[in-house]
Amino acid sequence: MDNTILPVIETALLKVAHDKGFATARDRLEVMSPQCGFGELGTCCRICYMGPCRIDPFGNGPKTGVCGLSPDAMVARNLLRDTVGGTASHVGHARHVLLTLRDALNGKAPYQVKGVSKALALARTFGVPTEGRDVNDICRDLVNIALEDFGRQDELPNNWLSKRAPAAEQALWSNLGLMYSNPHNEIETAMHATSMGNDADPVSLMLRVLKMSLIDGWTGLTLCVDLQDILFGVPEIAVTEAAVGVLEENSVNLAAHGHNPVLSEKILEWAEKLEGEALAAGAERINVVGVCCTGNELSMRHGVKLAAHNSQTELILATGAVDAMVVDIQCIWPQLAQVAKCFDTAFITTDAMVRIPDARHIPFEPHHADESARQIVQAAIDAFRRRRGKPVDIPQHKSTAVAGLSVEAIIDLLSKLDAEDPLKPVLDNVANGNIFGFVGVVGCSSIKFRDNAMTEEMVKHLLRQNVLVLTTGCTAHICAQDGLMTSEATYRYCGDGLKAVLEVLGKAAGLDGPLPPVWHMGACVDNSRIVDLMVALAERLGVKVGQLPAVGSAPELVQEKAVSIGGSFLALGVSCHIAPAPRILGGPMVTKLLTEDLQELTGAVVRVELEPKGAADWMVAHIAEKRAALGI
Ligand code: BF8
């Protein structure tokens, strides 16, 4: 590839793996390339056993499935199943947090409410009385409201959707028939509707995609994050470090990977408790590092260092320096167990849903959280004992990074500039063009896009044009590793307007320099924080979210979850850039619907751009249109 600019960290990590003779995901991808063109277009259907059917939309091959299904219905049905996969993942995570909070309040799980301010704020939103009440009682009421959402069999709108989402958008969703009641019922209905011989109307199927995405946004993300903040506290601005260089040769390196802080918070707690045992084993300390979204959760609330994003997970194990990697749910590559086997690494699964051959399984469930967490940390110390003195190969790359930018932390900071009206300084600077607009850069890291440093380069193009970048998920790791969450990045990459704003904010935050230009807002579930911020700005301005000069981007799409998150942005009227193309191109009507006609429905469109500059240019042009429509 001519324009290869593989980031230095990936280059170093790949060298470590190849020097040791490991095949990596890149090698496995090469062996199976070219990948299935029908699959890429979305025109492969294996839902019934008359198939698998492959529609050839451009050549002389079959034009429908054996049952007569049209290409548009086929791609829409497949897209809906992707969205169900993403939504089910987030809703499952959310329900787990909800049940943990319930059990903690009943004294059955060893967790305490740390986010009192969040509980009080949510009580106001849901009309729960607070006067003279114990915070745990307030939380019990909130838990019951959330439990009702998972149990109801009526058509009343879901509590979290109707109370947390903006009113103007709810009116639109209601007109489109998108309001939902019980998320589980909707997941069932979507699977039913997409099974053989049911919904074959592409328009109806695409409305189901939007509805499923709303469930992802308001139950999978918002409810989940609200309750996580109640249990574990609201993130505050913290400085951390990112990239493989955070591993320490002489410490017990314990990597926490996955998504759910119910596990990782306990691991952190027990790592502190067992520090003495680690010292006795000859280690300098226990170095808990974060991987993927669990890493983001820990860095947001505790400043824990970020070791790797998803496409680096097998590579950091190849350093031989990770003593234990403990995982819960989602984005866990089965290959990790195979790499771990070649070292003294303890690769530990904890969730009954994630069983991987050759992994050690230590069941973790909230009722016995302390005992399981103790065992896991102990396994890491034991592995260190076996590793001690053996050579390791840790590429010495890392960057500092500012994390913890929850909406509450942002508002706190802005209050130092205008205590009465904290959002005013932001809106004034949007109006005068110092902040040209906002892009939420979210989602995964893909080996298909690392060769052109897609995320980093796209972000730099945006910053030069005074676009403030909000990020979550693995793209947050990418930005952190590349130094984009530092004051230096503001000086180096931002246009003059954005630089001036960030200098003022850095001073208010008590930093030595400007606030970084890329704001780390958390894990993928924390995309609800980006939405909350946009809703607050829109409400303060008296416009709809879709009218803001804001765009979403998933520049390295991997997971079904990123598809459903993207859908939730589209439902809000926020246009999305995406790479690679979603698997819809074999359906011309669905493609037109998402790239053009959706504008009429929600005000948003989807745009595919595979190169960083093209992506940034499209987003800046789109933001310019939004600004013009607002008269700024
Ligand atoms: O939820 S960004 S690869 S880790 S899916 Fe997975 Fe994608 Fe990473 Fe987190 Ni989100």
Side-chain angles (χ1 to χ4, degrees):
M1 221 170 149
D2 285 335
N3 57 346
T4 292
I5 40 170
L6 185 68
V8 60
I9 295 161
E10 257 99 344
T11 306
L13 281 165
L14 285 167
K15 182 172 182 322
V16 170
H18 285 151
D19 285 353
K20 291 181 180 168
F22 286 109
T24 69
R26 287 162 175 271
D27 303 308
R28 297 190 288 276
L29 175 63
E30 200 179 315
V31 171
M32 77 171 59
S33 294
Q35 288 178 300
C36 173
F38 295 98
E40 281 180 347
L41 294 172
T43 50
C44 170
C45 176
R46 42 180 294 281
I47 282 174
C48 90
Y49 279 76
M50 291 195 292
C53 296
R54 303 186 309 178
I55 296 178
D56 176 7
F58 307 121
N60 296 322
K63 292 288 171 259
T64 70
V66 174
C67 68
L69 191 73
S70 72
D72 278 304
M74 193 178 281
V75 302
R77 208 159 75 163
N78 287 340
L79 187 68
L80 179 52
R81 286 211 163 181
D82 282 358
T83 319
V84 169
T87 302
S89 302
H90 286 140
V91 167
H93 175 169
R95 188 168 59 92
H96 188 269
V97 173
L98 167 61
L99 298 183
T100 303
L101 176 58
R102 178 197 65 186
D103 292 350
L105 293 167
N106 293 337
K108 290 186 185 154
Y111 297 86
Q112 283 84 40
V113 168
K114 293 190 182 151
V116 175
S117 60
K118 188 72 168 216
L120 295 176
L122 286 168
R124 280 193 295 280
T125 302
F126 286 92
V128 170
T130 55
E131 194 69 25
R133 297 184 75 199
D134 181 79
V135 70
N136 282 1
D137 287 333
I138 296 168
C139 289
R140 276 187 199 97
D141 285 359
L142 290 168
V143 161
N144 287 334
I145 292 168
L147 283 172
E148 188 182 45
D149 276 347
F150 286 94
R152 64 197 323 164
Q153 296 298 327
D154 53 35
E155 293 305 313
L156 293 176
N158 178 277
N159 293 323
W160 236 262
L161 173 72
S162 57
K163 293 290 193 311
R164 287 287 271 112
E169 281 77 358
Q170 285 191 50
L172 169 72
W173 300 333
S174 187
N175 284 339
L176 293 173
L178 305 182
M179 297 294 277
Y180 64 92
S181 179
N182 178 335
H184 287 169
N185 292 2
E186 298 295 350
I187 288 168
E188 176 211 278
T189 304
M191 288 305 284
H192 189 169
T194 52
S195 64
M196 198 273 188
N198 290 304
D199 202 343
D201 175 354
V203 174
S204 164
L205 285 161
M206 290 305 291
L207 285 170
R208 291 183 193 282
V209 168
L210 281 181
K211 187 175 193 179
M212 192 50 53
S213 302
L214 277 184
I215 298 168
D216 192 43
W218 298 97
T219 298
L221 308 185
T222 305
L223 179 143
C224 183
V225 172
D226 285 347
L227 301 188
Q228 286 186 172
D229 278 358
I230 289 180
L231 259 178
F232 306 117
V234 178
E236 292 170 10
I237 293 177
V239 179
T240 185
E241 289 181 333
V244 59
V246 303
L247 296 175
E248 297 169 2
E249 180 172 358
N250 299 317
S251 297
V252 176
N253 290 307
L254 171 47
H257 173 17
H259 287 82
N260 193 335
V262 170
L263 170 69
S264 54
E265 289 276 333
K266 273 291 166 195
I267 296 294
L268 200 58
E269 198 181 312
W270 276 92
E272 277 166 28
K273 286 184 180 158
L274 296 185
E275 184 89 4
E277 293 209 23
L279 297 180
E284 286 175 4
R285 66 190 198 98
I286 299 180
N287 180 33
V288 176
V289 295
V291 174
C292 291
C293 281
T294 276
N296 289 326
E297 296 281 2
L298 289 174
S299 69
M300 289 287 285
R301 293 198 179 84
H302 304 281
V304 165
K305 296 175 183 177
L306 297 165
H309 53 68
N310 202 250
S311 59
Q312 297 171 335
T313 47
E314 62 182 341
L315 303 179
I316 61 159
L317 291 188
T319 63
V322 178
D323 296 300
M325 178 179 273
V326 58
V327 304
D328 51 31
I329 48 165
Q330 304 167 18
C331 307
I332 317 295
W333 295 9
Q335 180 67 13
L336 300 180
Q338 300 309 312
V339 183
K341 237 173 41 172
C342 302
F343 299 96
D344 294 309
T345 306
F347 179 69
I348 303 166
T349 54
T350 56
D351 193 294
M353 213 172 46
V354 184
R355 296 302 299 260
I356 298 177
D358 291 320
R360 177 168 173 196
H361 192 72
I362 300 180
F364 179 94
E365 49 85 28
H367 291 192
H368 305 105
D370 283 316
E371 178 48 26
S372 305
R374 191 196 60 74
Q375 268 187 51
I376 291 162
V377 176
Q378 189 64 55
I381 297 169
D382 294 344
F384 172 82
R385 252 194 220 101
R386 296 193 296 272
R387 168 175 73 85
R388 201 175 157 211
K390 293 184 187 163
V392 295
D393 202 346
I394 307 173
Q396 292 302 306
H397 295 283
K398 63 180 177 182
S399 172
T400 55
V402 174
L405 283 127
S406 60
V407 176
E408 291 84 345
I410 293 167
I411 303 274
D412 260 10
L413 179 56
L414 293 171
S415 300
K416 294 180 181 161
L417 304 177
D418 188 335
E420 296 287 298
D421 190 357
L423 294 176
K424 186 168 180 295
V426 173
L427 293 170
D428 287 348
N429 279 292
V430 171
N432 69 20
N434 278 344
I435 299 175
F436 192 69
F438 307 89
V439 174
V441 179
V442 308
C444 320
S445 64
S446 167
I447 52 165
K448 294 182 174 176
F449 288 92
R450 294 283 70 227
D451 284 343
N452 66 350
M454 177 73 181
T455 297
E456 301 91 316
E457 293 304 305
M458 185 187 85
V459 165
K460 288 168 194 168
H461 285 300
L462 292 170
L463 298 180
R464 284 185 199 107
Q465 298 176 80
N466 295 307
V467 174
L468 184 65
V469 172
L470 315 170
T471 187
T472 56
C474 285
T475 55
H477 282 260
I478 293 174
C479 292
Q481 291 188 8
D482 198 46
L484 291 167
M485 295 178 182
T486 59
S487 296
E488 293 74 52
T490 302
Y491 290 128
R492 197 158 162 203
Y493 300 115
C494 292
D496 289 341
L498 185 58
K499 200 182 296 171
V501 175
L502 293 168
E503 277 174 338
V504 173
L505 287 174
K507 211 178 217 173
L511 298 177
D512 279 343
L515 200 64
V518 177
W519 290 5
H520 190 334
M521 295 189 72
C524 281
V525 289
D526 292 318
N527 282 315
S528 68
R529 299 192 199 276
I530 295 181
V531 169
D532 277 344
L533 184 61
M534 292 302 120
V535 169
L537 289 171
E539 285 181 346
R540 169 65 183 71
L541 263 184
V543 300
K544 289 174 76 172
V545 175
Q547 292 173 266
L548 292 174
V551 186
S553 169
E556 303 191 26
L557 168 72
V558 173
Q559 247 267 16
E560 291 165 321
K561 292 182 289 174
V563 177
S564 50
I565 291 168
S568 72
F569 282 17
L570 294 175
L572 265 174
V574 177
S575 294
C576 291
H577 156 253
I578 192 169
R583 293 177 187 138
I584 55 166
L585 298 181
M589 181 193 155
V590 169
T591 303
K592 185 165 175 294
L593 177 70
L594 283 178
T595 56
E596 295 174 30
D597 302 344
L598 190 63
Q599 177 90 41
E600 305 300 315
L601 281 186
T602 72
V605 290
V606 172
R607 176 76 170 208
V608 176
E609 290 286 345
L610 304 181
E611 292 295 328
K613 185 167 184 312
D617 286 348
W618 177 78
M619 287 189 275
V620 169
H622 193 76
I623 287 170
E625 283 172 25
K626 297 276 177 187
R627 293 182 64 92
L630 284 173
I632 54 175

